[in-house]
Amino acid sequence: MYEREEEKLRQLKSQLEQQSLPLDEADQMIRSGIAKAKADRSKKNRRRKRIMWSAALSAILVLTFVTSIRVSTAFANTIASIPGMEPFVAMIQQDKGLQAIFKEDYYQKIGASQTVGDVTMTIDGVILDETGMNVYYTIESSKKMKTASVNTIEITNSSPMPEAGISYGGMSANDIFSYQEVMEITFSKRNVFADLSFTVEAEMDIDSSEVSFSIPFEVPEQTKPSKPYVLNEIVELDGQHFTVDKVVISPLRIGVQITFDLNNTKKILSFEDMRLIDEKGEVWSKIANGVTGFGNEKGKTTHTFFLQSNYFSTPKKLYLQINKAQAVKQEQAFLEVNTDTKELLSYPDGPQLQLVDASRNGIELLLSVKDFHHDPFTTAIDAKGKEIAISSFSLYGEGDATHWGPTFETTSYTNPIRLELHAYPTYIEGDVKVEVK
């Protein structure tokens, strides 16, 4: 039944590996899955992902395409039975925590909608826990939409929203009547709302016309409480030491809080192979697509990394295992570029990195590694210590190389500029195992 859909997804994955993924910084965070926003590079339209950040937040991002799209018939039928959820089957299949949420009926149906002209926006349903909120929505029109894209979408509550990031796909329509998307909100700290009434505010461009929506809705049931496990265990990976402070298990995700030793010779950027495993050998690995953690704030050594959730499982034993991480030498944890002279002044040991082009508006880099789909940096610092926001970021593969293209929010800065790394294809390996439960 799903062979045709699987083949389409394979073709889409192949196409997207050659397309750019810009990441807009402001008040949002990266969403899992394949981004859908209009872009233009070399006079070709490419799909891209929109990201924006809270000013007070920085993050470790790992953007990964769908790599396995085999969908079990039973699970697909479960999701397909929920109105509006059919398009999300393949994406949900990549996350064991999301699968469990739907199997355990933790997804809450909403059905609130608003029609503006020919276009209707419907809030199909939500998943809410102490770590964040997924809002699934549908855009449909009585006429074919030649082009459609999301400009902004946010959510409000009677109380101030907690410090968080919002991410969403910017769908680029092509003669369609409807499409479905998800807005994901990730809180920087655990939060419980006293009032479960919310409003989604959205602005969209549909066939060159701006359409605005304001849709109030109420979440029927309160969140389930998270399950914290305080560990405070010091471990070592290839000579680098860190403390596993705690593991917090929530329905949407597991947060693993880690504090790095200030005396480490290398800066660990992210964990490539981190997972939970129970006494039967069942594994819950890192988030397959999207945000994999918070952290990497300047001067901070404590970070939180996200895994798929086993909230609805009841293992007798549970272990955290770590075997591989991205890491660079502490003194090389940045790139330094002079955009006036078009010089790449410094970068880490490892794969060759070339400066293809540079201007005060942004730079283009070529990394001699294939399919490294990670966002390497989110801000730049100029020679006087002034922060330069990265307004967009393009990422696409070309043969055996990967292109990085940050665009700066301002041209008023002093060269050279320094871009702190959050991802880079150099690794350390080892064997860390911590008993959680």
Side-chain angles (χ1 to χ4, degrees):
M1 176 179 179
Y2 290 94
E3 287 77 7
R4 183 177 300 176
E5 287 80 3
E6 291 182 3
E7 179 58 31
K8 287 180 179 178
L9 283 168
R10 290 190 186 94
Q11 293 173 1
L12 181 58
K13 175 181 180 289
S14 177
Q15 294 169 6
L16 280 167
E17 287 177 341
Q18 303 300 322
Q19 297 173 347
S20 62
L21 301 172
L23 312 172
D24 297 334
E25 299 219 8
D27 277 341
Q28 305 178 347
M29 268 194 302
I30 194 160
R31 172 181 86 67
S32 60
I34 298 170
K36 305 164 187 170
K38 293 185 295 181
D40 180 79
R41 176 182 170 81
S42 300
K43 300 182 180 180
K44 293 181 181 178
N45 288 327
R46 301 177 182 268
R47 290 178 186 255
R48 59 186 197 169
K49 180 169 287 279
R50 306 190 72 168
I51 301 190
M52 306 186 77
W53 299 102
S54 260
L57 296 178
S58 64
I60 301 164
L61 306 181
V62 178
L63 181 61
T64 309
F65 290 106
V66 176
T67 56
S68 173
I69 55 175
R70 173 60 60 184
V71 179
S72 73
T73 302
F75 180 70
N77 289 340
T78 298
I79 300 302
S81 68
I82 303 173
M85 292 306 297
E86 296 92 335
F88 300 101
V89 170
M91 184 177 72
I92 293 168
Q93 186 75 4
Q94 304 306 307
D95 191 311
K96 293 174 69 172
L98 285 176
Q99 292 181 48
I101 280 173
F102 284 94
K103 289 176 181 176
E104 297 293 328
D105 293 326
Y106 191 64
Y107 169 85
Q108 302 190 62
K109 300 176 186 177
I110 302 298
S113 65
Q114 181 184 14
T115 299
V116 178
D118 299 316
V119 184
T120 299
M121 181 177 184
T122 301
I123 308 302
D124 298 307
V126 302
I127 302 169
L128 175 65
D129 72 6
E130 293 179 355
T131 70
M133 186 177 191
N134 286 8
V135 180
Y136 297 86
Y137 61 92
T138 299
I139 304 297
E140 54 190 340
S141 175
S142 59
K143 301 177 182 179
K144 274 191 176 182
M145 295 179 285
K146 294 181 179 179
T147 60
S149 62
V150 179
N151 292 331
T152 61
I153 184 169
E154 60 181 21
I155 192 165
T156 59
N157 183 262
S158 58
S159 299
M161 289 293 290
E163 187 177 88
I166 301 176
S167 66
Y168 56 89
M171 176 63 183
S172 181
N174 183 16
D175 288 332
I176 59 174
F177 285 103
S178 68
Y179 69 90
Q180 290 75 33
E181 262 299 345
V182 58
M183 171 175 59
E184 294 187 0
I185 305 168
T186 305
F187 306 141
S188 62
K189 296 180 181 178
R190 282 189 284 162
N191 177 78
V192 176
F193 291 98
D195 178 9
L196 295 181
S197 298
F198 300 90
T199 301
V200 167
E201 307 278 354
E203 291 186 2
M204 304 181 183
D205 281 334
I206 298 177
D207 294 340
S208 301
S209 296
E210 187 173 282
V211 181
S212 298
F213 296 97
S214 180
I215 306 175
F217 68 92
E218 186 167 342
V219 178
E221 297 181 16
Q222 185 56 273
T223 61
K224 289 186 178 294
S226 299
K227 304 171 186 177
Y229 296 88
V230 178
L231 304 176
N232 292 326
E233 185 163 338
I234 299 173
V235 297
E236 178 263 333
L237 184 72
D238 195 13
Q240 308 306 307
H241 296 84
F242 53 89
T243 302
V244 181
D245 301 322
K246 60 183 176 180
V247 172
V248 181
I249 300 175
S250 307
L252 276 171
R253 58 185 59 85
I254 292 172
V256 180
Q257 183 178 298
I258 286 177
T259 298
F260 295 106
D261 192 322
L262 289 171
N263 295 316
N264 283 342
T265 59
K266 291 186 178 181
K267 180 179 180 180
I268 295 178
L269 305 174
S270 68
F271 290 102
E272 290 286 289
D273 188 3
M274 173 190 280
R275 61 200 181 280
L276 282 185
I277 184 168
D278 69 9
E279 76 280 0
K280 297 178 181 179
E282 185 170 358
V283 172
W284 290 268
S285 56
K286 69 180 184 180
I287 302 295
N289 306 284
V291 178
T292 59
F294 284 132
N296 269 9
E297 291 181 82
K298 187 175 181 181
K300 302 292 185 180
T301 59
T302 298
H303 313 290
T304 298
F305 300 87
F306 296 142
L307 302 176
Q308 297 177 28
S309 176
N310 73 333
Y311 186 88
F312 294 101
S313 300
T314 55
K316 294 180 180 179
K317 291 286 186 179
L318 196 60
Y319 303 91
L320 175 70
Q321 289 193 218
I322 301 173
N323 295 101
K324 186 177 180 179
Q326 291 182 24
V328 294
K329 294 177 181 178
Q330 291 282 4
E331 66 273 18
Q332 295 182 345
F334 61 91
L335 307 182
E336 193 170 43
V337 180
N338 189 316
T339 60
D340 290 331
T341 62
K342 302 182 186 297
E343 292 178 278
L344 180 59
L345 302 174
S346 62
Y347 62 92
D349 296 336
Q352 180 66 36
L353 187 68
Q354 300 176 42
L355 182 64
V356 177
D357 196 11
S359 73
R360 285 196 158 259
N361 294 310
I363 61 176
E364 183 178 356
L365 298 156
L366 182 67
L367 179 71
S368 60
V369 172
K370 185 178 182 180
D371 299 333
F372 187 72
H373 298 299
H374 299 259
D375 173 29
F377 26 66
T378 55
T379 57
I381 306 295
D382 79 354
K384 293 184 177 180
K386 175 184 175 183
E387 185 174 299
I388 309 165
I390 296 175
S391 58
S392 67
F393 182 88
S394 64
L395 183 157
Y396 66 97
E398 185 175 64
D400 292 330
T402 299
H403 282 258
W404 288 342
T407 301
F408 307 132
E409 198 169 85
T410 180
T411 59
S412 179
Y413 56 81
T414 303
N415 271 303
I417 60 173
R418 177 179 172 129
L419 297 99
E420 299 289 334
L421 286 167
H422 296 315
Y424 206 75
T426 53
Y427 306 94
I428 57 173
E429 297 184 15
D431 187 12
V432 171
K433 187 173 184 178
V434 177
E435 184 174 342
V436 176
K437 176 182 176 183

